[in-house]
Amino acid sequence: MPLPIYLIGARGCGKTTVGLALASVLGYDFCDTDHYLQQASGKTVAEIVAEEGWPGFRRRESGSLIAVTGPGKVIATGGGMILAVENRQYMQDNGHVIFLNAPAEVLASRLEACPENAQRPTLTGRPIAEEMTEVLAARGLLYRQAAHHHIDAMQSPEVVVQQIVNALSLARAS
């Protein structure tokens, strides 16, 4: 059975868009850990954070990662999934980890163009451009260390998908 593919990266990097397209190309199932968590809990991310704080949300997020993992799946993870060393290790041990990388200003402009305030509360309360710069500074190394493959997410979803397929093909050949 084919190993799962985990897409990691900051909010706005295209994990869901690319994940859906990649799953279609590969004939895999697609799952988004945030969506799964919301369905399983019956609450939005904002509601969970309001009730349990970020630590409570992160615990639930880790559980959702394990719950959705399976062969033949493309899994879009929440942007903070890599904060827990256990999550990074789990993904590395159980599948292919793909980092979708884009600069903070691009992420901010994407998030401003398609805000999801009810689902994804701000981490800092500051403007999104400042927040994305801070988030990437804090998490960039973790994303790079956790990933088997780094993909430039500044391109069209179709090009990103093709680069992922190529990277996975090369990995299988070696």
Side-chain angles (χ1 to χ4, degrees):
M1 292 297 290
L3 292 175
I5 299 167
Y6 301 99
L7 301 179
I8 64 171
R11 294 192 291 159
C13 72
K15 296 181 300 275
T16 300
T17 301
V18 168
L20 285 164
L22 180 63
S24 177
V25 165
L26 296 175
Y28 284 23
D29 292 326
F30 174 76
C31 188
D32 180 298
T33 59
D34 282 349
H35 181 72
Y36 173 86
L37 177 58
Q38 290 175 71
Q39 293 250 324
S41 68
K43 300 175 184 176
T44 67
V45 172
E47 289 168 339
I48 295 168
V49 171
E51 293 172 13
E52 302 175 27
W54 282 105
F57 171 75
R58 295 290 177 216
R59 280 190 299 279
R60 286 177 178 255
E61 184 178 54
S62 294
S64 71
L65 176 66
I66 295 166
V68 302
T69 293
K73 283 192 175 183
V74 174
I75 301 164
T77 65
M81 186 67 77
I82 49 82
L83 293 173
V85 66
E86 298 84 8
N87 293 344
R88 295 191 305 271
Q89 192 64 54
Y90 182 84
M91 289 185 290
Q92 288 177 329
D93 291 347
N94 290 288
H96 302 283
V97 185
I98 311 291
F99 171 34
L100 300 182
N101 189 19
E105 59 273 9
V106 171
L107 299 172
S109 69
R110 289 177 181 174
L111 291 170
E112 288 169 346
C114 299
E116 299 180 42
N117 294 334
Q119 294 180 7
R120 300 169 187 250
T122 175
L123 295 169
T124 62
R126 293 200 317 272
I128 195 69
E130 291 176 28
E131 181 172 300
M132 295 316 299
T133 299
E134 184 177 309
V135 165
L136 284 182
R139 298 179 183 174
L141 182 61
L142 296 176
Y143 289 132
R144 288 188 295 281
Q145 289 174 340
H148 295 112
H149 305 283
H150 301 197
I151 303 294
D152 178 2
M154 293 288 295
Q155 304 160 89
S156 72
E158 297 79 18
V159 171
V160 172
V161 166
Q162 190 56 56
Q163 287 188 345
I164 293 170
V165 169
N166 292 347
L168 294 173
S169 295
L170 289 173
R172 288 185 192 113
S174 58

